[in-house]
C-alpha cells in the first residue's frame, strides 16, 4: 500500500503541516508497519486483541479529550480542537459491544498506556505539545484508521452492530476536506520557529508512545502476529 513514504525530504518552503508530516513520516512507518497493526490489517488478529486495542485507546482518549476541554480557549490548542473529533462516546459504545455492559470493570490501562496518558496530561500547560498529541492520533484515525475500520468490521463481523464506531466520524462531512482544513490550521498556528520545532519533537514522542502501547499489545496477544 502506498502511504506516501516518499515525502521524507524537508524543504524550507514546506508549510508547517508538510514539515510535521515529513519529519515524522519514518516514525509513522514504524507504527503502520508494527507487527500488531500488520496482523490486524491482515485479518489475523483475534477479536480479543482488537478489543484490547480499543480498551487502550479508551484511556488515551479520555486523557486527550479532558486535557482538550481545558485548552479549548487557548489560541494554539483551540485551533485544532473540534467537537466532531471527540471519540470517547464512540469508544464507550464499542467497548459495550466488545466487552459487554460491565466493560469498565474489565479493562485496565497497560503500563505503556499509563505512561502515554501521563504524558498527555502533562500537556495541560503546554498547548503546542498538546497539538502534537492531537495531530498524531486524530489525523491518524482519519487516515490509516479508515483502513482499520473496514478490515475490523469484516474480520469481526462488527459493521452496523457497533464495535468500530471509533473510526466513524459522522459529524465531519468529508474526511479529505477536514484533513485539508486541519493542515491549514496547523500552518496558521501563531508560533515561532522554535515552538514549531518543539511540536515536531513532541509528535515524535507521541509516535514512540503509541509504538510502546502496540508493543505491549503484541506481547499480550501473540496469536496471529507471526508471519
Ligand atoms: C498507530 C498507528 C498509526 C498512527 C499513530 C498514524 C498516524 C498518522 C498521522 C498523524 C497521519 C497524518 C500525516 C499528515 O498528513 O500529516 C497519518 C497519515 C496516514 N496514515 Fe497513518 N497512522 C497509523 C497507522 C496507519 C496505518 C495502519 C495505515 C495504513 C493502513 C496508515 C496510513 C496512513 C496514510 C495513507 C496516511 C496519509 C493520509 C493523507 O495524506 O491523507 N496509518 N497517519
Amino acid at each position: 500500500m502506498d502511504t506516501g513514504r516518499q515525502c521524507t525530504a524537508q524543504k524550507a518552503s514546506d508549510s508547517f503541516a508538510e514539515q510535521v508530516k515529513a519529519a515524522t513520516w519514518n516514525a509513522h512507518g514504524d507504527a503502520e508497519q508494527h507487527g500488531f497493526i500488520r496482523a490486524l490489517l491482515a485479518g489475523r488478529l483475534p477479536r480479543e486483541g482488537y478489543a484490547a486495542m480499543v480498551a487502550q485507546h479508551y484511556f488515551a482518549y479520555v486523557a486527550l479529550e479532558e486535557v482538550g476541554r481545558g485548552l479549548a480557549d487557548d489560541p494554539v490548542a483551540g485551533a485544532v480542537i473540534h467537537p466532531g473529533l471527540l471519540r470517547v462516546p464512540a469508544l464507550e459504545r464499542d467497548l459495550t459491544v466488545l466487552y459487554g455492559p460491565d466493560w469498565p470493570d474489565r479493562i485496565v490501562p497497560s503500563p505503556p498506556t499509563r505512561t502515554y496518558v501521563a504524558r498527555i496530561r502533562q500537556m495541560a500547560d503546554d498547548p503546542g505539545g498538546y497539538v502534537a498529541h492531537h495531530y498524531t492520533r486524530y489525523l491518524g484515525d482519519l487516515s490509516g484508521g479508515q483502513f482499520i475500520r473496514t478490515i475490523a468490521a469484516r474480520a469481526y463481523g462488527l459493521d452496523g452492530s457497533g464495535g468500530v464506531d471509533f473510526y466513524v466520524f459522522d459529524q465531519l462531512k468529508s474526511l479529505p476536506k477536514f484533513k485539508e482544513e486541519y493542515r491549514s490550521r496547523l500552518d496558521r498556528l501563531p508560533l515561532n520557529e522554535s515552538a514549531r520545532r518543539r511540536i515536531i519533537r513532541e509528535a515524535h514522542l507521541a509516535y514512540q508512545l503509541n509504538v510502546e502501547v502496540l508493543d505491549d499489545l503484541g506481547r499480550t496477544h501473540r496469536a496471529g502476529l507471526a508471519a
Side-chain angles (χ1 to χ4, degrees):
M1 182 180 315
D2 177 17
T3 58
R5 196 166 291 119
Q6 69 276 12
C7 75
T8 44
Q10 194 173 315
K11 303 189 293 293
S13 58
D14 283 347
S15 74
F16 180 53
E18 286 166 346
Q19 285 176 21
V20 180
K21 182 172 184 174
T24 56
W25 202 243
N26 282 340
H28 178 271
D30 294 343
E32 182 198 356
Q33 294 299 320
H34 194 282
F36 186 85
I37 296 291
R38 283 175 43 189
L40 174 54
L41 292 177
R44 284 189 272 110
L45 186 70
R47 181 183 160 116
E48 308 83 77
Y50 171 72
M53 181 185 77
V54 176
Q56 298 310 311
H57 281 154
Y58 173 75
F59 297 108
Y61 282 79
V62 165
L64 258 180
E65 295 177 6
E66 272 177 24
V67 174
R69 273 191 288 281
L71 289 170
D73 297 329
D74 178 86
V76 172
V80 294
I81 290 169
H82 188 288
L85 290 173
L86 296 177
R87 297 291 85 201
V88 169
L91 283 164
E92 290 174 347
R93 288 194 299 277
D94 289 344
L95 289 167
T96 305
V97 170
L98 294 165
Y99 285 94
D102 60 341
W103 65 265
D105 302 327
R106 300 188 55 203
I107 65 170
V108 287
S110 66
T113 293
R114 282 203 290 272
T115 304
Y116 185 21
V117 164
R119 184 65 186 173
I120 292 169
R121 292 204 181 279
Q122 282 173 1
M123 301 300 111
D125 53 11
D126 180 354
Y130 181 78
V131 169
H133 287 274
H134 192 275
Y135 159 84
T136 306
R137 280 309 324 179
Y138 293 108
L139 227 51
D141 301 332
L142 296 169
S143 307
Q146 299 306 303
F147 296 102
I148 295 177
R149 171 192 178 177
T150 310
I151 289 160
R154 199 167 50 224
Y156 312 118
L158 291 169
D159 229 1
S161 55
V164 289
D165 286 5
F166 173 70
Y167 298 106
V168 179
F169 290 88
D170 47 13
Q171 285 187 48
L172 308 180
K173 284 174 200 82
S174 150
L175 300 195
K177 281 209 185 90
F178 183 86
K179 288 196 286 184
E180 211 176 290
E181 169 63 20
Y182 189 101
R183 291 188 186 108
S184 64
R185 283 168 180 251
L186 288 180
D187 292 342
R188 294 196 305 266
L189 288 177
L191 294 173
N192 63 22
E193 258 318 296
S194 95
R196 286 171 187 231
R197 278 198 299 274
R198 245 251 344 105
I199 293 184
I200 291 175
R201 275 204 306 279
E202 190 68 30
H204 270 119
L205 179 58
Y207 271 113
Q208 189 189 320
L209 293 166
N210 270 278
V211 164
E212 285 169 12
V213 172
L214 292 173
D215 287 346
D216 183 79
L217 284 166
R219 280 191 296 273
T220 319
H221 299 275
R222 283 188 188 283
L225 265 64

